[in-house]
Amino acid sequence: MIPELSNTTVFMKDRERVQNILQSMMKAGSNTLQVISDFDMTLTRFAHNGNRCPTCHNILDNSKLISDECKEKLTELFNTYYPIEIDVSRSVEEKLPLMVDWWTKAHELLVQQKIRKDLLAMVVRESNAMLREGYQLFFGHLHEHSIPLLIFSAGIGDILEEVIRQAGVFHPNVNVFSNYMDFDESGVLKAFKGELIHIYNKREGALLNTGHFQELRTRPNVLLMGDSLGDLTMADGVQDMENILKIGFLNDKVEERKQAYLDSYDIVLVKDETLEVPNGILLYLTDCRSLTSDF
């Protein structure tokens, strides 16, 4: 039994389907499992004590490394594009060029700030970044059982890695695919490396990193975690997939988006700031807890 699936934050369109997937994954064994997750607002909290928690971009945007003028421009971008990102009435095709515009403009503004690499750790330390409650068990259990954790993020990889490093959970089984800063020889930001990863092209990021997926071919069972409908394609690069269980964190604009999430994710967690449910599932899949028909 997975008692966490009875939490009041948990919603499922088809409980029986979830049960069947979990039973199939458990029978296959944890050595066939991999976890693919978004980072901002999925592994990190959306809010704490009524206040929004920062994303990787926010950590930098809100820091003293950024001028007030630049902060104003970044806020304008957020106010323009975030409502578009979460608008369920618009198609992904419609949102795509607009998301590229947002990320590109934001990165151009950051490059103008001549950010120093050696100050990033301080910026993270001084921020209100918070991993979700239960993160020690989540990261620790995956590490202990040698289950790969692939984090696909439209955020800033350098900041993301620093958050999990400072939390003491950047274990060897963790691989991060994100937007990484490119510094000049004196350690000043000059550009961002490679292809832009944004909320709707993480699948391409996955496919570009087929080397990692080759290593994971013996792991055809996927636990996918995200907080946007764009996260649903993160596992598209996995070859010969047998089972996938999709967990969606619905953090914001719940009533407008709940049905779309229930139609797309197997398990929807509404305003849940913890990792209780993923942890309960991982304990079941690794410890062979018996799954009763009534959950």
Side-chain angles (χ1 to χ4, degrees):
M1 186 176 180
I2 302 178
E4 294 83 0
L5 288 175
S6 301
N7 290 1
T8 56
T9 58
V10 176
F11 294 84
M12 286 176 267
K13 188 175 179 179
D14 188 344
R15 275 182 173 265
E16 189 177 345
R17 181 173 181 276
V18 170
Q19 182 181 348
N20 291 339
I21 293 170
L22 283 167
Q23 284 177 331
S24 178
M25 289 168 89
M26 192 265 279
K27 282 175 188 160
S30 62
N31 62 334
T32 68
L33 179 67
Q34 57 177 296
V35 179
I36 298 178
S37 182
D38 170 52
F39 187 71
D40 289 321
M41 311 307 161
T42 298
L43 294 177
T44 62
R45 289 176 184 249
F46 178 79
H48 181 61
N49 292 337
N51 297 315
R52 281 287 301 265
C53 291
T55 64
C56 291
H57 276 103
N58 296 153
I59 289 170
L60 204 50
D61 299 352
N62 301 338
S63 75
K64 54 193 177 194
L65 303 188
I66 306 297
S67 70
D68 288 344
E69 184 189 356
C70 182
K71 284 178 183 176
E72 280 178 29
K73 288 178 180 174
L74 289 165
T75 301
E76 282 172 23
L77 289 176
F78 178 84
N79 292 338
T80 301
Y81 291 103
Y82 180 66
I84 296 169
E85 178 193 319
I86 64 170
D87 185 351
V88 290
S89 70
R90 294 183 188 234
S91 68
V92 170
E93 290 73 25
E94 195 181 343
K95 292 179 183 182
L96 197 59
L98 298 168
M99 294 301 104
V100 172
D101 284 349
W102 181 10
W103 262 258
T104 303
K105 287 172 183 173
H107 286 177
E108 285 170 356
L109 285 169
L110 291 175
V111 169
Q112 291 168 17
Q113 296 297 294
K114 307 226 179 300
I115 293 162
R116 280 172 42 198
K117 184 178 186 177
D118 61 353
L119 296 178
L120 294 182
M122 174 201 72
V123 164
V124 170
R125 230 178 344 264
E126 292 179 352
S127 76
N128 296 319
M130 297 178 76
L131 292 168
R132 287 185 187 269
E133 189 180 320
Y135 75 86
Q136 296 99 328
L137 174 59
F138 178 80
F139 282 90
H141 202 69
L142 291 174
H143 180 226
E144 182 188 339
H145 290 268
S146 302
I147 297 168
L149 169 60
L150 281 71
I151 300 174
F152 286 97
S153 174
I156 301 172
D158 310 76
I159 299 286
L160 187 166
E161 289 192 5
E162 194 57 38
V163 171
I164 55 177
R165 189 178 293 115
Q166 289 185 18
V169 292
F170 197 0
H171 301 305
N173 65 311
V174 178
N175 279 301
V176 178
F177 303 105
S178 188
N179 297 301
Y180 281 90
M181 295 172 155
D182 195 5
F183 298 94
D184 65 21
E185 62 282 355
S186 57
V188 174
L189 178 64
K190 63 175 183 178
F192 278 81
K193 296 177 184 174
E195 292 293 314
L196 174 72
I197 297 178
H198 55 78
I199 198 165
Y200 290 113
N201 75 341
K202 292 181 182 182
R203 166 186 55 208
E204 291 169 38
L207 294 170
L208 287 170
N209 290 285
T210 48
H212 283 281
F213 282 101
Q214 287 299 111
E215 296 166 31
L216 298 168
R217 286 194 75 170
T218 57
R219 294 181 177 270
N221 292 307
V222 176
L223 184 65
L224 181 144
M225 295 163 51
D227 77 309
S228 83
L229 298 179
D231 292 331
L232 290 158
T233 61
M234 289 188 297
D236 285 7
V238 180
Q239 297 177 5
D240 309 319
M241 187 152 47
E242 287 176 14
N243 296 289
I244 180 166
L245 186 72
K246 300 173 181 175
I247 302 175
F249 288 87
L250 179 49
N251 301 308
D252 195 18
K253 302 281 189 290
V254 172
E255 290 314 309
E256 300 97 309
R257 301 198 289 167
K258 191 174 177 183
Q259 193 56 52
Y261 275 58
L262 284 168
D263 290 342
S264 306
Y265 282 103
D266 301 302
I267 298 171
V268 177
L269 304 177
V270 174
K271 290 191 175 293
D272 183 341
E273 295 292 349
T274 76
L275 289 169
E276 269 186 24
V277 171
N279 283 341
I281 289 170
L282 286 173
L283 288 171
Y284 167 73
L285 292 176
T286 51
D287 296 344
C288 301
R289 283 183 185 175
S290 62
L291 186 62
T292 61
S293 58
D294 62 356
F295 271 10

